Amino acid sequence: MNIFVFETSLEASQYAYDLVAKALESGANTFGLATGSTPEELYSIIRDSDLDFTDAKAVNLDEYYGLPADNDQSYAYFMKKHLFDAKPFAQTHIPNGTATDVEKEIEDYNTILSENPVDLQILGIGSNGHIGFNEPGSPFDSKTRLVDLTDETIQANKRNFESEADVPKKAFSMGIGSILESKQIVLMAFGENKAKAVKETVHGKVTPDVPASVLKNHSNTVILLDKAAASQLDPSDYEVIS
């Protein structure tokens, strides 16, 4: 893993933008996208850029189970607001949070991923080390599936809902096995609350207990951190970009 540390999350996001732009210029066709607060600055930079994704495809990591696409807390809504309305793609794929046939939705999404190999995958990381909604204990060979969210994840996400009772308890998630098939992975982590998970990812053993630790087995992973998220690493672990 190549680890780069920046003074601010905005500087890290600009570096991520440069990687996206380089991939697009080099012919990347399919981009794996994440949601949540971590990629918001990246998407803002992309929105204000002249990058053209009209010939590219997007596949998203996950979606809350039970939320329709027009719910303002759904990840479909998030992506339209933060990226797709301003930067249309030839195709966009996000699991259907209200699918009545769960097994068919899973099968269909796995087919989409197999037919559209991801050239560059954007990832965040949960405070418990999850990537996508692959919570601790997720098999490293897992594909898209419906997962139960841990209490830690529910607590972290409740800030976006009126009450904890409104937070979905399940989600569709691209599996770790699918994530590892991406040609390039860019993981971003910002803030002190991510520092422990980053340390366990970098220094801990590769274990399903820390899902992100498997990225050490990937041949082309870049980790972009602000100073707070890197605070528990040794300076020899990373390169400072200024």
Side-chain angles (χ1 to χ4, degrees):
M1 296 185 293
N2 295 307
I3 306 172
F4 301 112
V5 175
F6 302 80
E7 188 71 27
T8 67
S9 61
L10 181 59
E11 291 173 3
S13 298
Q14 180 63 56
Y15 192 95
Y17 166 83
D18 293 340
L19 293 176
V20 171
K22 182 179 179 180
L24 189 63
E25 183 180 343
S26 300
N29 181 255
T30 303
F31 292 84
L33 302 179
T35 51
S37 59
T38 299
E40 281 191 24
E41 288 177 321
L42 168 61
Y43 295 157
S44 177
I45 296 168
I46 292 175
R47 290 197 310 272
D48 292 337
S49 76
D50 60 0
L51 293 187
D52 183 358
F53 293 92
T54 53
D55 292 326
K57 303 171 187 176
V59 290
N60 264 75
L61 282 168
D62 42 30
E63 178 59 285
Y64 285 124
Y65 182 59
L67 293 189
D70 60 358
N71 183 293
D72 64 4
Q73 293 304 320
S74 75
Y75 288 161
Y77 187 98
F78 176 99
M79 291 306 304
K80 281 176 60 65
K81 175 182 177 182
H82 290 282
L83 187 61
F84 295 155
D85 281 349
K87 291 291 182 180
F89 284 66
Q91 297 178 24
T92 59
H93 301 283
I94 302 175
N96 177 6
T98 57
T100 55
D101 188 336
V102 170
E103 291 306 315
K104 185 176 187 305
E105 182 65 19
I106 290 170
E107 180 181 351
D108 288 349
Y109 210 71
N110 282 326
T111 298
I112 288 168
L113 293 174
S114 67
E115 293 177 349
N116 299 278
V118 173
D119 294 295
L120 186 150
Q121 175 68 60
I122 300 295
L123 290 180
I125 184 172
S127 57
N128 62 3
H130 75 218
I131 48 177
F133 272 134
N134 295 287
E135 301 283 30
S138 296
F140 286 158
D141 61 354
S142 57
K143 301 296 184 180
T144 306
R145 64 209 192 286
L146 186 65
V147 300
D148 294 315
L149 303 182
T150 64
D151 185 63
E152 185 173 353
T153 296
I154 291 169
Q155 293 299 317
N157 291 343
K158 71 179 183 180
R159 68 186 186 279
N160 300 316
F161 294 83
E162 288 188 11
S163 70
E164 184 176 337
D166 295 325
V167 184
K169 306 303 187 291
K170 295 178 180 288
F172 287 110
S173 181
M174 187 189 299
I176 293 176
S178 297
I179 292 171
L180 292 175
E181 291 173 358
S182 306
K183 295 173 187 174
Q184 181 179 19
I185 294 173
V186 179
L187 184 147
M188 300 187 292
F190 308 136
E192 182 108 22
N193 64 318
K194 300 296 178 71
K196 181 173 182 290
V198 168
K199 178 183 178 181
E200 291 175 343
T201 295
V202 174
H203 283 296
K205 63 181 181 179
V206 176
T207 170
D209 293 338
V210 183
S213 66
V214 74
L215 298 178
K216 285 191 277 195
N217 293 342
H218 190 268
S219 62
N220 188 9
T221 292
V222 177
I223 296 181
L224 308 179
L225 310 171
D226 65 3
K227 291 181 68 174
S231 61
Q232 294 187 30
L233 296 181
D234 187 279
S236 62
D237 294 329
Y238 54 80
E239 178 181 348
V240 176
I241 305 294
S242 58

